[in-house]
Amino acid sequence: MVASWSKIGVLVAFLASLIPAAVFAQDQQFQIGSSVVSEMKYKPGFTRFDYVNPDAPKGGDLRLSSSGTFDTFNPLLAKGQTAVGLSLVYDTLLKPADDELLVSYGLLAEGLSYPPDVSSTTFRLRKEAKWADGQPVTPEDVVFSFDKTKELNPLAGNYYHHVVKAEKTGERDVTFTFDEKNNRELPNILGQLVIVPKHWWEAPGPDGKPRDISKTTLEPVMGSGPYRIAAFSAGATIRYELRDDYWGKDLNVNVGQNNFRNILYTYYGDRDVEFEAFRAGNSDYWQETFAARWATGYNFPAVKEGRIKKEDVTNPLRSTGIMQALVPNMRRDIFRDERVREALNYGFDFEELNRTIAFNSYKRIDSYFWNTDLASSGLPQGRELEILQGLKDQVPAEIFTTPYSNPVGGDPQKSRDNLRKAISLLKEAGWELKGNRMVNAKSGQPMSFEILLSSPLLERWAVPYATNLKKIGIDARVRTVDAAQYTNRARSFDYDMIWNVWAQTVNPGNEQADYWGSASANQQGSRNYAGIANPAIDALVRMIIFAPNREEQVAAIKAMDRVLLANHYVIPLFYRDTYSIAYWNTVTRPAEFPAYSLGFPDAWWSTSAK
């Protein structure tokens, strides 16, 4: 999918009554945007976002890199490797403000409206919104985009499960109808829907044959956004060019943004080679994910001379909860017992690896909403406790008596104690050590599984973990595959264990059903990688989605966090609480980053532009 999918679920309106409305019609109140829990910062008639430079020059190039390859420009499909940067070609109905928490404003749509019971929502398109060929963006385009997205993408189909139809209800109006009321997230996540041109996809292509939106394509697609695909080499490079005729270039939500004349992506098969390209000046911007390199690998001349600047930035993580983990696939028999999964956590010596590999720069994750106020801690109290007591017979008993904590290693004695604990848990689950092999006591089957990775960089952590497990007779093998194979296997749940990151917003909603819900456990393409099918979690997800207020929502989120942790569905890993970025003096950033983002690349500009 296009990069904007990462933002889906962020824009949720829980206190609609607090949102100022701008009236665009006599019979219906349309809001210029939506906010989660407070009054919107920007009022009707605002001219720009505060964090942008309205005088930022247009021009110059931005050279970026990406790992892997690509084989399609189709933004809707959940197959193939979609080209990076494709969101530059498309506008969405709403656009987030990066200096407000969970707020968005009209882009293709001048406003949205929904009734008090949130049984539907209506978007009114801007008169001036046009495709790159000059044709207007219409309600028919929105309906087509929604129908095809839901049909062709299992993730989106699950996400929009409660949106039963989209229909044209006015010259510029499109209405989405829901099968349940009071789900205040739905109007806002629909605002992030990728809108594609119906007439373009239904017309013949350059070869005279009908285009087919259900298939991958390397024909440069047409959109309504600020950039167009100007050139590419299949699987290797893409150049996006700023459109002089972009309909929304002077729109308030776009002022001071979309500044680079060209944005060029080059693909690399190896992350280390990709970094060397940055170091050599072949790309302008780099986000560092390798702690050891950040600590020791930036002592080359361009950094010493100030031509490359390094920064640790907290802004993007202020509104994001992280769960990075090794994920056992419970569709495999050996992982169905929670004692087995817990034992595997005792085999991961985070403290030792953090010291020897990462210069102690990481922190261990102990919540599915780590680094946010939504993370559970201690023992449940108040409303959170009441919710869990209502599910008492369906959740692990230790939730009420023992706060969750990860095993602590870091020295030989602690490591031995943790491995002994792992052996004890495995014995309870019906496994025993025979010689130097962990085997099933009944069948004699050895405990053997594969850890599937998408990058050689992860081997630095996975291989020592596998080696530690071998000390207690577990045959854990590490296998790294290319991006295309990894994606296909992850989508079809064809793995024993994978390494995954879930990035949570501070306003979780419908996506939780896709992550942990029973309905998604066997739905290929979902993000329920562990195969969780738990009635208690299903009930908690519904409480989160339909929470009548923020207090009730937070209590349900923390309760769900506890249930997920207590069932040991994953082996929690680690993360940093800052973004590490480096960039050449060929690009310039705003004087201040927006509160919840780096504003990259939208609000940056080329140093060479005049």
Side-chain angles (χ1 to χ4, degrees):
M1 290 301 297
V2 178
S4 61
W5 275 106
S6 63
K7 298 181 181 178
I8 290 181
V10 175
L11 311 168
V12 186
F14 277 91
L15 298 178
S17 61
L18 297 180
I19 301 174
V23 182
F24 297 114
Q26 296 296 320
D27 57 343
Q28 202 168 10
Q29 295 274 330
F30 281 82
Q31 304 158 189
I32 66 166
S34 59
S35 172
V36 174
V37 294
S38 62
E39 186 174 352
M40 292 188 295
K41 174 181 178 180
Y42 299 101
K43 308 304 180 185
F46 76 95
T47 58
R48 63 175 176 88
F49 293 138
D50 289 344
Y51 54 86
V52 303
N53 174 9
D55 299 318
K58 306 284 186 183
D61 296 341
L62 173 64
R63 300 164 302 163
L64 301 174
S65 63
S66 186
S67 300
T69 186
F70 72 93
D71 61 12
T72 183
F73 293 129
N74 187 333
L76 301 189
L77 290 185
K79 61 182 179 181
Q81 297 294 310
T82 306
V84 66
L86 197 55
S87 60
L88 297 166
V89 175
Y90 295 100
D91 279 334
T92 49
L93 295 167
L94 303 176
K95 181 172 182 173
D98 290 341
D99 60 344
E100 295 183 85
L101 192 59
L102 310 176
V103 180
S104 62
Y105 297 89
L107 183 51
L108 282 175
E110 64 182 25
L112 73 159
S113 175
Y114 46 86
D117 64 359
V118 200
S119 56
S120 66
T121 188
T122 298
F123 290 90
R124 176 159 293 173
L125 299 174
R126 295 183 187 272
K127 291 180 181 179
E128 63 270 31
K130 288 182 173 59
W131 299 107
D133 64 0
Q135 293 200 34
V137 179
T138 66
E140 287 85 356
D141 293 318
V142 179
V143 172
F144 175 80
S145 301
F146 172 77
D147 289 344
K148 291 301 180 182
T149 297
K150 196 170 180 181
E151 172 190 342
L152 300 174
N153 191 297
L155 166 60
N158 188 55
Y159 209 68
Y160 294 133
H161 176 70
H162 294 296
V163 185
V164 295
K165 66 177 178 179
E167 59 186 334
K168 179 179 179 179
T169 51
E171 181 182 0
R172 291 184 287 119
D173 294 353
V174 59
T175 297
F176 298 89
T177 302
F178 313 145
D179 64 2
E180 291 186 317
K181 298 178 180 179
N182 298 312
N183 184 340
R184 296 185 179 274
E185 183 179 26
L186 288 177
N188 299 277
I189 63 173
L190 285 165
Q192 295 304 303
L193 181 70
V194 177
I195 309 301
V196 300
K198 181 175 185 287
H199 70 280
W200 188 88
W201 280 100
E202 292 185 340
D207 59 2
K209 297 178 181 179
R211 295 186 177 102
D212 188 347
I213 200 169
S214 68
K215 296 180 180 179
T216 60
T217 181
L218 282 175
E219 179 188 355
V221 290
M222 186 183 73
S224 63
Y227 287 84
R228 68 180 185 92
I229 300 171
F232 72 96
S233 175
T237 62
I238 316 166
R239 178 168 67 88
Y240 297 95
E241 182 180 59
L242 187 65
R243 292 173 46 210
D244 291 327
D245 60 349
Y246 172 46
W247 72 272
K249 62 183 176 181
D250 297 322
L251 207 61
N252 52 5
V253 294
N254 286 330
V255 169
Q257 303 181 70
N258 305 316
N259 299 316
F260 295 98
R261 171 57 58 183
N262 295 286
I263 298 179
L264 305 97
Y265 285 93
T266 300
Y267 279 81
Y268 296 88
D270 182 273
R271 182 74 171 166
D272 289 331
V273 175
E274 189 179 348
F275 173 73
E276 288 304 316
F278 167 75
R279 173 174 165 160
N282 294 323
S283 60
D284 298 306
Y285 177 91
W286 179 259
Q287 182 186 337
E288 185 57 78
T289 58
F290 182 22
R293 182 161 57 210
W294 189 247
T296 65
Y298 286 78
N299 56 357
F300 51 95
V303 176
K304 294 178 179 178
E305 296 164 5
R307 290 179 290 135
I308 289 179
K309 185 173 183 179
K310 291 176 61 185
E311 293 191 74
D312 279 310
V313 186
T314 62
N315 302 47
L317 294 173
R318 290 174 179 169
S319 60
T320 306
I322 297 293
M323 169 53 80
Q324 179 166 236
L326 288 166
V327 188
N329 185 356
M330 291 189 295
R331 303 168 188 87
R332 305 285 199 258
D333 288 341
I334 61 171
F335 297 131
R336 289 179 180 169
D337 193 308
E338 67 273 10
R339 292 167 294 189
V340 171
R341 303 191 298 270
E342 183 179 5
L344 293 175
N345 196 12
Y346 276 92
F348 185 75
D349 193 338
F350 164 73
E351 287 73 20
E352 176 68 10
L353 294 176
N354 194 34
R355 179 181 64 82
T356 58
I357 295 175
F359 296 83
N360 288 316
S361 62
Y362 289 114
K363 298 178 181 178
R364 188 82 193 266
I365 291 173
D366 57 2
S367 167
Y368 284 74
F369 301 88
W370 181 79
N371 206 36
T372 73
D373 292 337
L374 301 178
S376 60
S377 63
L379 292 175
Q381 299 179 357
R383 178 57 183 148
E384 184 186 349
L385 178 61
E386 292 175 2
I387 290 172
L388 289 167
Q389 286 174 332
L391 300 167
K392 190 172 184 179
D393 296 335
Q394 302 179 60
V395 301
E398 61 264 30
I399 282 177
F400 301 98
T401 61
T402 309
Y404 178 84
S405 63
N406 287 304
V408 176
D411 63 52
Q413 183 59 51
K414 290 177 180 177
S415 180
R416 286 192 293 269
D417 290 345
N418 286 339
L419 291 178
R420 278 194 286 268
K421 176 64 174 178
I423 292 171
S424 176
L425 287 165
L426 290 168
K427 185 176 182 180
E428 292 176 19
W431 297 82
E432 60 183 6
L433 260 177
K434 283 192 175 181
N436 60 353
R437 302 175 75 195
M438 183 67 67
V439 300
N440 187 283
K442 291 183 178 179
S443 67
Q445 172 194 4
M447 179 169 283
S448 176
F449 60 87
E450 178 184 86
I451 303 173
L452 184 69
L453 304 178
S454 62
S455 169
L457 284 177
L458 304 179
E459 294 174 4
R460 294 178 173 95
W461 298 84
V463 170
Y465 174 54
T467 300
N468 213 36
L469 292 179
K470 281 181 171 59
K471 295 177 182 177
I472 56 174
I474 297 174
D475 177 29
R477 306 172 308 282
V478 176
R479 184 182 180 192
T480 302
V481 298
D482 61 50
Q485 185 178 352
Y486 184 87
T487 299
N488 289 333
R489 289 186 62 177
R491 285 172 178 166
S492 59
F493 307 132
D494 180 20
Y495 50 83
D496 298 330
M497 180 182 288
I498 61 172
W499 182 305
N500 190 62
V501 181
W502 289 275
Q504 299 272 10
T505 75
V506 294
N507 197 52
N510 289 277
E511 76 285 348
Q512 302 304 303
D514 185 62
Y515 294 166
W516 334 115
S518 297
S520 66
N522 293 309
Q523 184 181 58
Q524 292 194 4
S526 82
R527 290 169 289 181
N528 190 343
Y529 299 114
I532 299 169
N534 185 321
I537 292 174
D538 292 339
L540 289 165
V541 168
R542 287 189 61 82
M543 290 182 194
I544 293 168
I545 294 173
F546 294 100
N549 53 59
R550 181 65 171 175
E551 182 180 3
E552 188 74 9
Q553 184 204 30
V554 171
I557 291 167
K558 291 186 175 182
M560 185 184 72
D561 187 31
R562 292 183 190 278
V563 177
L564 289 168
L565 291 168
N567 278 285
H568 303 285
Y569 291 127
V570 302
I571 296 95
L573 293 174
F574 48 82
Y575 217 75
R576 297 184 68 190
D577 54 8
T578 61
Y579 263 44
S580 299
I581 62 171
Y583 52 94
W584 284 82
N585 58 7
T586 52
V587 296
T588 303
R589 70 168 178 86
E592 298 291 336
F593 287 121
Y596 302 104
S597 169
L598 298 177
F600 182 83
D602 294 9
W604 293 46
W605 61 92
S606 172
T607 307
S608 65
K610 303 299 182 183

